[in-house]
Amino acid sequence: MAVRKELPEYTVPSLTLEDGGKVAAILQGRLHALNDLALTLKHIHWNVVGPHFIAVHEMIDPQVDAVREMVDSTAERIATLGVPPRGTPGAIVAERTWEDYSLGRASTIAHLGALDEVYRGVIADHRQAAADTEDLDTVTNDLLVGHLRDLELFHWFVRAHLESSGGELSTSGATTEAGAARKAEAAAKKEA
């Protein structure tokens, strides 16, 4: 889906209205992704079962809290740029470019495998947004880079559960959440 651009009536000093609108549109996409990520993380938190349940269950909650803070700072930056942020479920569903998270109740390793794929997508798109704002708005770029620092750390936490002692990821080569979940479970069964 094409990015919906709104021309603000005002924006921050030193940005043109066009650039303010462009930056806000980039951030709106990130707002949808971060809102979706927070909900997905909470869904995983509620639906993991099996060995390592408590470790994964408790690992996810701080990630939810941090991502919710990213949501708030992103929405506030959009508003600062003079554009009303859209954070309703309908807006997320209508404007997202990805499929809904596909796992329900599943093993910890299956959810972590799927979450590896989720984080890969969110981080890649966040990096692109940071690159797209680098020359437009240093404040927004700094915000996105700060988010990336935390998102990449959380991704490492997830991948630590999926990595062999030889450094191989059990999800290597997967391109979907379901595929990553299957590969992670197969590797776990093989090791057991």
Side-chain angles (χ1 to χ4, degrees):
M1 168 161 282
V3 174
R4 184 174 129 187
K5 293 181 188 169
E6 245 180 272
L7 190 61
E9 294 292 322
Y10 66 89
T11 195
V12 296
S14 81
L15 285 186
T16 66
L17 293 178
E18 291 79 17
D19 284 348
K22 183 176 182 178
V23 172
I26 292 167
L27 285 174
Q28 184 62 58
R30 303 322 312 139
L31 181 62
H32 289 328
L34 291 169
N35 264 322
D36 187 84
L37 178 59
L39 291 169
T40 298
L41 287 167
K42 203 61 180 177
H43 171 82
I44 293 167
H45 170 84
W46 295 323
N47 285 287
V48 293
V49 296
H52 311 293
F53 158 79
I54 199 65
V56 173
H57 182 79
E58 290 183 353
M59 176 183 76
I60 296 294
D61 258 347
Q63 293 181 29
V64 171
D65 293 341
V67 172
R68 284 180 176 161
E69 287 182 22
M70 291 177 204
V71 165
D72 195 47
S73 63
T74 302
E76 289 172 352
R77 184 67 186 159
I78 294 169
T80 300
L81 290 163
V83 175
R86 296 179 311 281
T88 63
I92 295 169
V93 171
E95 297 174 21
R96 71 182 179 195
T97 58
W98 57 91
E99 296 297 318
D100 202 14
Y101 187 75
S102 60
L103 274 68
R105 186 176 184 90
S107 71
T108 55
I109 200 68
H111 273 296
L112 291 171
L115 187 54
D116 177 43
E117 191 64 26
V118 170
Y119 269 125
R120 286 186 335 135
V122 170
I123 290 167
D125 290 348
H126 232 71
R127 280 188 167 278
Q128 184 61 56
D132 292 345
T133 61
E134 189 171 16
D135 293 332
L136 284 171
D137 181 27
T138 56
V139 174
T140 297
N141 180 261
D142 184 60
L143 175 76
L144 293 168
V145 169
H147 291 176
L148 279 164
R149 189 175 305 110
D150 288 340
L151 291 169
E152 290 175 356
L153 178 68
F154 300 154
H155 192 204
W156 172 55
F157 292 169
V158 169
R159 284 186 157 186
H161 291 269
L162 303 169
E163 186 178 0
S164 72
S165 59
E168 297 171 14
L169 281 177
S170 61
T171 55
S172 182
T175 57
T176 66
E177 294 163 9
R182 281 192 299 275
K183 287 188 88 162
E185 280 193 314
K189 287 177 183 171
K190 192 175 178 181
E191 285 184 20

